[in-house]
């Protein structure tokens, strides 16, 4: 196999765009141009919440933010159950109530500072999330009455129960790292199992010090080693993942990374796990357009993909695509690949046998919005499948990726 280098400019664009998008993707709307929907920064409760539109990525300020702990889920279906953090805005009847949500097709998960799948995040991990309200037509539990949100169910439930579609999830490691923030250890009391730390950014404290609980099972990382609690010392800049946040204070420390080397190793390990998962399951995206006459499918890929994987679009595989492409590529010495139809949860049906494909005709750059990678391709197929329709979810396999049968719980074909 050999590589052609016509994607070098695109990869540079994607890397720069993703960095910029990740830091601004949830910025509030400006006062000069108020959004026509309710935002977290807005005060007009009469405005409706933004409703995602099939085939369109949402605007930057549209999602609603809240935190909680992952307590359940179904990773093949990309569903999660999260116990919502306590806040001063809640009544006691709302404390510690769970919500159930489904990741949007373009919804992303970050763990240890890298792209991830729900399966990568252990139960009990505290998460930061951005969500959309349940679809139009489904009755809301919390509605505006007399100018304030009111629970119409008569039950003790979370005020976030109506936010059933998830755009983004991040563990604390990812959340604070993305903001260039870290915790500075102020004091450690091993007898009382207490750690006092203050959040810092650019060498300056943010807010007041917080007192976290240490556990005998707290995992301590330093350099390339596991260490003991005794290695935690005042003055260290650390990242931490928490559990039981807001139940008995700021939270319990699940894991703590004491130095940059340990944090880089954690991120590198997660990045490789993500790359392996995508290579075996295909790059997810949705169909923008289909030219039935020329059998050309245009696909925009979702955000939750490491940009370096797009390099494989340009790998030349001289061998024909063969089964099951029904005609394959017209030019085997040009970039090519195959497309598998997927469900909204990104689950494919039978990717070994249910793919068509051919040559990659064009790779475009598109606006980087929440959920979008900014990468779009056009593929000329030997045959079109029913699922290749605008708005349909697909997964793309560059020709150099081996397509293997997945565990049965990850394939929809043959399910009861």
């Amino acid at each position: 196999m050999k590589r052609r280098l016509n994607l070098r400019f695109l990869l540079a664009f994607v890397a720069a765009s993703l960095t910029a998008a990740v830091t601004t993707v949830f910025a509030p709307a400006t006062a000069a141009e108020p959004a026509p929907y309710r935002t977290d920064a807005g005060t007009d409760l009469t405005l409706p919440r933004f409703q995602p539109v099939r085939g369109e990525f949402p605007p930057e300020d549209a999602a609603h933010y809240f935190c909680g702990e992952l307590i359940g889920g179904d990773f093949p279906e990309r569903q999660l159950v999260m116990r919502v953090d306590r806040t001063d805005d809640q009544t006691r009847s709302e404390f510690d109530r769970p919500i159930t949500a489904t990741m949007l097709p373009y919804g992303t998960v970050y763990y240890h500072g890298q792209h991830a799948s729900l399966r990568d995040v252990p139960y009990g991990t505290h998460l930061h999330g951005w969500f959309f309200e349940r679809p139009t037509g489904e009755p809301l539990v919390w509605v505006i009455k007399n100018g304030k949100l009111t629970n119409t169910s008569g039950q003790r439930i979370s005020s976030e129960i109506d936010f059933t579609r998830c755009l983004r999830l991040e563990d604390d490691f990812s959340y604070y790292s993305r903001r260039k923030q870290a915790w500075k250890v102020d004091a450690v009391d091993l007898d009382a199992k207490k750690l006092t730390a203050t959040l810092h950014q650019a060498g300056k404290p943010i807010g007041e010090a917080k007192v976290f609980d240490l556990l005998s099972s707290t995992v301590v990382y330093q350099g390339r080693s596991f260490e003991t609690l005794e290695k935690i010392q005042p003055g260290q800049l650390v990242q931490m993942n928490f559990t039981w946040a807001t139940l008995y204070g700021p939270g319990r420390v699940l894991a703590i990374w004491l130095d940059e080397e340990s944090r880089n190793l954690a991120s590198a390990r997660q990045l490789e796990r993500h790359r392996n998962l995508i290579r075996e399951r295909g790059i997810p995206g949705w169909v923008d357009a289909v030219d039935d006459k020329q059998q050309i499918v245009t696909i925009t890929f979702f955000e939750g993909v490491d940009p370096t994987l797009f390099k494989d679009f340009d790998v030349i595989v001289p061998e024909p695509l063969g089964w099951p492409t029904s005609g394959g590529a017209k030019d085997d010495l040009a970039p090519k690949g195959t497309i598998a139809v997927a469900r909204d949860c990104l689950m494919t049906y039978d990717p070994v046998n249910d793919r068509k494909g051919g040559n990659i005709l064009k790779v475009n750059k598109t606006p980087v919005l929440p959920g979008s990678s900014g990468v779009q391709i056009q593929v000329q197929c030997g045959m079109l499948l029913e699922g290749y329709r605008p708005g349909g979810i697909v997964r793309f396999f560059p020709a150099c990726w081996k397509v293997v049968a997945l565990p049965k719980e990850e394939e929809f074909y043959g399910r009861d």
Side-chain angles (χ1 to χ4, degrees), residues 54-67:
R54 187 79 173 189
E56 298 179 12
F57 294 106
E60 293 179 352
D61 62 343
H64 172 54
Y65 167 79
F66 58 89
C67 303

Side-chain angles (χ1 to χ4, degrees), residues 289-299 321 324-332 334-339 355-363 376-385 388 396-397:
V290 180
D291 184 329
D292 291 329
K293 185 175 182 180
Q294 298 191 54
Q295 300 189 133
I296 297 174
V297 181
T298 302
I299 304 166
L321 288 173
T325 57
S326 301
K330 293 183 177 180
D331 182 0
D332 284 318
K336 57 191 177 184
T338 55
I339 307 168
R355 289 174 294 121
K356 303 299 176 186
N359 288 122
I360 300 173
L361 302 182
K362 188 182 294 185
V363 181
Q376 182 188 76
I377 65 170
Q378 291 183 339
V379 182
Q380 188 167 37
C381 300
M383 178 183 290
L384 297 179
L385 294 178
Y388 299 171
F396 180 76
F397 296 84

Side-chain angles (χ1 to χ4, degrees), residues 46-113:
T46 64
L47 288 173
R49 285 285 184 178
F50 178 84
Q51 287 288 328
V53 178
R54 187 79 173 189
E56 298 179 12
F57 294 106
E60 293 179 352
D61 62 343
H64 172 54
Y65 167 79
F66 58 89
C67 303
E69 182 173 315
L70 184 66
I71 60 173
D74 180 348
F75 76 77
E77 295 288 342
R78 301 229 303 164
Q79 295 173 345
L80 63 126
V81 182
M82 195 166 85
R83 184 183 66 246
V84 178
D85 283 359
R86 299 179 182 183
T87 69
D88 293 338
D89 294 330
Q90 298 171 355
T91 63
R92 292 189 64 85
S93 64
E94 299 170 49
F95 281 180
D96 310 328
R97 302 296 172 178
I99 61 102
T100 300
T102 300
M103 300 298 298
L104 288 159
Y106 49 80
T108 56
V109 180
Y110 284 83
Y111 186 62
H112 292 172

Side-chain angles (χ1 to χ4, degrees), residues 258-330:
L258 301 182
D259 58 5
E260 186 174 359
E261 183 180 12
S262 62
R263 293 189 285 272
N264 288 341
L265 281 171
S267 292
R269 187 181 304 112
Q270 176 56 40
L271 178 59
E272 288 308 314
R273 185 172 187 177
H274 161 75
R275 287 170 174 167
N276 289 335
L277 183 140
I278 294 296
R279 288 189 185 107
E280 292 178 339
R281 292 160 182 81
I283 302 175
W286 59 28
V287 177
D288 293 308
V290 180
D291 184 329
D292 291 329
K293 185 175 182 180
Q294 298 191 54
Q295 300 189 133
I296 297 174
V297 181
T298 302
I299 304 166
T300 294
F301 295 110
F302 298 148
E303 176 190 342
V305 179
D306 171 36
T308 64
L309 292 175
F310 295 129
K311 291 180 180 179
D312 288 343
F313 290 177
D314 216 31
V315 175
I316 304 301
V317 180
E319 293 77 17
L321 288 173
W323 174 263
T325 57
S326 301
K330 293 183 177 180

Side-chain angles (χ1 to χ4, degrees), residues 121-134:
V121 184
Y123 288 168
T125 301
H126 181 254
L127 298 173
H128 301 255
W130 289 262
F131 298 81
F132 292 110
E133 214 169 53
R134 62 178 77 243

Side-chain angles (χ1 to χ4, degrees), residues 37 64-65 87 124 129 148 164 175 177 241-242 248 252 271 287 321-322 329 361 372 385 392 407:
Y37 44 81
H64 172 54
Y65 167 79
T87 69
K148 66 177 183 178
T164 60
Y175 181 82
S177 296
N241 268 353
F242 304 111
Y248 300 102
R252 294 177 168 182
L271 178 59
V287 177
L321 288 173
L361 302 182
S372 173
L385 294 178

